[in-house]
Amino acid sequence: MQKWECPCGYIYDPAEGDVANGVDPDTPWEKLPDDWVCPVCGAEKDAFWKYDG
C-alpha cells in the first residue's frame, strides 16, 4: 500500500495505521476519516503527498 508524507516529515504507513488516533493497521489512505489529521503537526490530509522513499 502507498505511504503518504506530511510536510513535517511524518509518514503515514497504511500497514501501521495510526492506532493512537483510532486508525487500525492495514487502513489505506483512501479509507482514512475525512477529519483525520497528522498526529505530529495537525496538518489536514490535503497537505500530504505520495511518499517516494
Side-chain angles (χ1 to χ4, degrees):
M1 282 189 273
Q2 177 69 50
K3 296 178 184 179
W4 291 77
E5 185 172 3
C6 181
C8 77
Y10 170 79
I11 297 171
Y12 176 74
D13 182 349
E16 295 177 10
D18 182 14
V19 177
N21 292 295
V23 178
D24 293 330
D26 297 319
T27 300
W29 181 257
E30 297 78 18
K31 298 284 183 172
L32 284 174
D34 290 337
D35 61 352
W36 181 86
V37 296
C38 175
V40 175
C41 73
E44 296 183 356
K45 285 175 60 177
D46 62 0
F48 284 67
W49 59 85
K50 289 183 179 179
Y51 177 69
D52 292 329

